[in-house]
Amino acid sequence: MSKTDTGTGRDRDELGAAGSRLSTAPQEEAVSLPGLGVIGWARWFWRQLTSMRVALLLLLLLSLGAIPGSLIPQTGADATKVEDFRAAHRTLAPVYDKLGLFHVYSSVWFSAIYILLFVSLIGCIIPRTWQFVGQLRGRPPGAPRRLDRLPAYTTWTTTADPEQVRAAALGLLKKRRFRAHTAGDAVAAEKGYLRELGNLVFHIALIVLLIAFASGQLFKSDGTKLMVEGDGFSNALPMYDDFKSGSLFEPDDLVPFSFDLEDFKGTYELTGPNRGTPRTFQAKIRYSKGAYGRQTTTTVKVNEPLEIDGSKVYLVSHGYAPVITVRDGTGKVVYRDAVPLLPLDGNVTSQGVVKVMDGYRDAKGKKEQLGIKAFFLPTYGGAGMEIASAFPALLNPVLNLEPYHGDLGVDSGLPQSVYQLDKTHMKDFKDAKGAQLRVNLKPGESMKLPNGAGTVTFEKDVKEWAGFEIVQEPGGGWALGGALAAILGLAGSLFIQRRRVWVRAVRGDDGVTVVEMAGLGRSESAKVPEELGELAGHLYERAPGAPEPDDAHPAPTPDRHVVPAEGAEK
């Protein structure tokens, strides 16, 4: 008659505490609807919320909910793109508004998933932690009555005393980093507690990630600043060209520091198939912490930001700023400055606007404003290459100017871009043929405005500008630490096996000691039989087999690759 399977109720009763769960995971109980009453429903809801399947479902929903935030323009990131989307999608935009898809991360539904996941993880971690601490403080359970019903089992007889066998087994198991103790006529040992520790670390790391993500979204700040060589910057809101922040951010949260852009240097491949490819971009700056900090010189490179007390200064863009001088009809200098122009392509073909708002008078003494569209080619390629630069470096710079006069509209109170020219109230200057005046200038050359209206000079000095992004993310370090901890914890929970080993040594009716060894793992794994076989081999060397009654030869060594016990689960 074959033995019954170890999964039956009778076998579980025989294993007793030895077969108790090798995990801190909550037991799966039969689901039954609670009776009427607020307490019953609250208890049922809490059990469902803190279950692993609900936590995984919420984590999946959170991941799916973040997808619209990366595909649809967000108000907090770029309000201009959101307005462009509204203008282009008149029917779809109202639906997105009702669903909160233009501000996903602050929407009600995303916040609800976020908070529920947070509560679910905490409700799951607290009881498991308490149970794990109890397991660490306790001892491995004693051996069950029938060791031969365990998945891995071996036995032999020896002439050694039972006390000697148990002492040898205790020393062997402790040497193999098992938690072991003698319980009655057997030695009980357990190993693999780091599996449950890794599981708890993984869950705690998820909570750290959630907190870091929330703090990063609520208290973050992100601004940009374009600076020409020689310009300075102080970390205050009025100094930014563009700035966005989290909902709980306060201006006082900005880290106090300042810096000056002393020099920008960019180099490019001059020959070969990669001609024009950038080699180095670096900005030499002098910065100081606080209002009276000591100035320090450093170099900021792409992907090598300057970090000051948690605030990072990234180098994100660059371009050219030709120095332009404007004189009125009397020869008086009314404008002289380096004008940053925005790149249009990889060869830094650039465009921008020169706006002379005050001080200009025409040949008749009439006050006017000038607007000059500028088109810059760092390397002019000659005939046929008038519209694009042939190389990004300053090899043969040419500045194309297109002047207008009249009212720029800056006094109307309406905001306008410094890189665009509103020609609504502007008149063009005509050349000798009656066409719009357009002139190509090389460094040091000047353009004369018609009817003695003045001159515009492209100075020999061509400066460069650098674009910086200043970012403050208070939860960045915690997020990185949480991610690393989650990976380590998950690896531990997946690859570390928790298992128990028992060694029983009793004297038989014939006076010979009977040694039994058995192992039990949390899950079916070949590691338990192999490990038990190896342990049995080492213990057999200390307690060798007894000779057979009809033969003077000793009993064979137990197989190191222990075959599962008869009737055990395969």
Side-chain angles (χ1 to χ4, degrees):
M1 182 182 297
S2 63
K3 298 179 181 179
T4 57
D5 188 89
T6 57
T8 62
R10 184 165 66 89
D11 290 340
R12 288 195 298 270
D13 293 339
E14 290 180 355
L15 294 179
S20 62
R21 291 176 299 117
L22 298 176
S23 167
T24 58
Q27 293 184 6
E28 292 289 341
E29 300 177 356
V31 179
S32 59
L33 292 178
L36 295 178
V38 176
I39 297 179
W41 281 106
R43 184 182 295 112
W44 178 85
F45 177 79
W46 177 254
R47 287 179 179 175
Q48 300 304 311
L49 180 61
T50 55
S51 65
M52 182 58 64
R53 57 178 175 271
V54 173
L56 292 175
L57 178 61
L58 291 173
L59 188 60
L60 177 61
L61 290 177
L62 191 70
S63 302
L64 293 176
I67 294 177
S70 59
L71 299 179
I72 300 173
Q74 300 294 293
T75 304
D78 196 332
T80 303
K81 287 186 177 181
V82 174
E83 294 303 321
D84 293 341
F85 187 92
R86 294 180 193 274
H89 304 84
R90 298 289 184 181
T91 304
L92 196 58
V95 178
Y96 283 7
D97 275 324
K98 292 182 179 180
L99 296 177
L101 297 183
F102 290 124
H103 50 90
V104 170
Y105 304 113
S106 60
S107 62
V108 175
W109 57 269
F110 190 86
S111 300
I113 298 174
Y114 195 89
I115 294 174
L116 285 175
L117 177 60
F118 190 82
V119 174
S120 176
L121 290 173
I122 292 179
C124 181
I125 287 174
I126 292 178
R128 292 179 69 135
T129 303
W130 185 255
Q131 184 179 354
F132 181 62
V133 172
Q135 292 178 357
L136 290 178
R137 296 178 62 183
R139 288 186 171 187
R145 184 170 59 87
R146 296 287 303 275
L147 287 179
D148 57 339
R149 292 189 178 275
L150 294 180
Y153 173 81
T154 187
T155 182
W156 72 93
T157 58
T158 180
T159 56
D161 293 334
E163 293 79 8
Q164 294 177 345
V165 175
R166 289 194 289 267
L170 183 63
L172 173 63
L173 291 171
K174 286 186 175 181
K175 185 177 180 182
R176 295 300 183 93
R177 298 190 300 277
F178 278 84
R179 294 182 61 203
H181 71 106
T182 302
D185 59 359
V187 174
E190 189 169 358
K191 190 177 183 181
Y193 287 90
L194 288 179
R195 178 188 181 94
E196 294 304 321
L197 180 60
N199 204 338
L200 292 174
V201 168
F202 173 73
H203 286 77
I204 295 174
L206 289 182
I207 293 181
V208 173
L209 282 173
L210 291 176
I211 296 176
F213 177 78
S215 63
Q217 291 296 315
L218 295 175
F219 297 98
K220 73 174 182 179
S221 66
D222 189 345
T224 58
K225 178 63 177 180
L226 186 150
M227 298 176 62
V228 180
E229 292 171 327
D231 287 352
F233 170 81
S234 179
N235 195 24
L237 284 181
M239 297 294 293
Y240 283 93
D241 296 332
D242 180 53
F243 187 85
K244 53 182 179 289
S245 61
S247 56
L248 298 183
F249 173 83
E250 297 292 339
D252 292 339
D253 295 334
L254 288 174
V255 177
F257 67 87
S258 60
F259 67 90
D260 299 326
L261 175 61
E262 294 187 344
D263 180 62
F264 179 87
K265 181 180 180 181
T267 60
Y268 309 87
E269 291 287 349
L270 297 175
T271 59
N274 295 324
R275 184 176 185 272
T277 302
R279 295 182 59 185
T280 59
F281 284 151
Q282 57 187 36
K284 181 181 179 182
I285 65 174
R286 182 182 293 271
Y287 72 95
S288 61
K289 300 180 181 179
Y292 306 102
R294 183 169 59 90
Q295 288 193 330
T296 305
T297 301
T298 187
T299 299
V300 180
K301 301 178 182 180
V302 177
N303 297 325
E304 295 182 17
L306 169 66
E307 186 170 359
I308 304 175
D309 295 337
S311 183
K312 294 183 178 181
V313 181
Y314 292 90
L315 176 63
V316 294
S317 58
H318 91 289
Y320 294 105
V323 178
I324 298 177
T325 301
V326 179
R327 294 177 173 83
D328 63 8
T330 63
K332 177 184 176 182
V333 176
V334 295
Y335 181 91
R336 180 184 174 85
D337 202 359
V339 182
L341 306 179
L342 300 182
L344 300 176
D345 55 28
N347 285 331
V348 202
T349 304
S350 310
Q351 71 174 6
V353 176
V354 181
K355 295 183 179 182
V356 182
M357 295 176 286
D358 300 309
Y360 173 77
R361 294 177 182 271
D362 62 9
K364 298 180 181 179
K366 179 182 176 181
K367 288 186 177 181
E368 277 191 316
Q369 294 176 334
L370 294 181
I372 307 172
K373 296 180 65 175
F375 192 76
F376 182 70
L377 281 68
T379 301
Y380 178 66
M385 294 289 293
E386 294 89 352
I387 61 174
S389 175
F391 194 76
L394 292 172
L395 301 182
N396 184 25
V398 168
L399 180 65
N400 179 273
L401 299 178
E402 183 180 322
Y404 295 84
H405 64 99
D407 184 7
L408 291 170
V410 295
D411 299 326
S412 63
L414 299 176
Q416 60 177 246
S417 173
V418 296
Y419 303 105
Q420 296 179 349
L421 179 63
D422 182 4
K423 296 186 293 184
T424 305
H425 304 287
M426 303 292 290
K427 298 179 181 179
D428 52 3
F429 284 100
K430 303 293 184 180
D431 60 12
K433 299 180 180 180
Q436 166 65 45
L437 179 63
R438 294 174 62 94
V439 178
N440 285 343
L441 300 178
K442 290 188 175 183
E445 295 182 346
S446 298
M447 172 184 67
K448 292 184 178 180
L449 298 177
N451 302 319
T455 60
V456 180
T457 302
F458 175 24
E459 302 292 346
K460 293 183 178 181
D461 185 17
V462 179
K463 295 186 177 181
E464 298 189 57
W465 60 261
F468 295 95
E469 183 177 9
I470 297 91
V471 180
Q472 262 183 240
E473 292 179 330
W478 285 99
L480 178 59
L484 294 176
I487 294 174
L488 293 177
L490 183 61
S493 64
L494 291 177
F495 297 108
I496 298 176
Q497 292 293 327
R498 189 171 175 187
R499 60 270 190 200
R500 290 170 180 164
V501 173
W502 293 273
V503 181
R504 173 173 286 146
V506 295
R507 193 176 300 277
D509 296 337
D510 55 358
V512 178
T513 301
V514 179
V515 181
E516 291 182 292
M517 292 188 68
L520 177 66
R522 175 181 174 181
S523 59
E524 295 182 11
S525 172
K527 185 174 184 178
V528 174
E530 291 177 1
E531 186 175 37
L532 186 68
E534 184 180 356
L535 291 172
H538 288 288
L539 184 59
Y540 186 86
E541 294 176 356
R542 304 182 185 185
E548 296 292 338
D550 57 348
D551 191 356
H553 299 289
T557 304
D559 188 2
R560 292 176 180 267
H561 301 284
V562 179
V563 178
E566 182 182 356
E569 292 182 356
K570 300 287 193 295

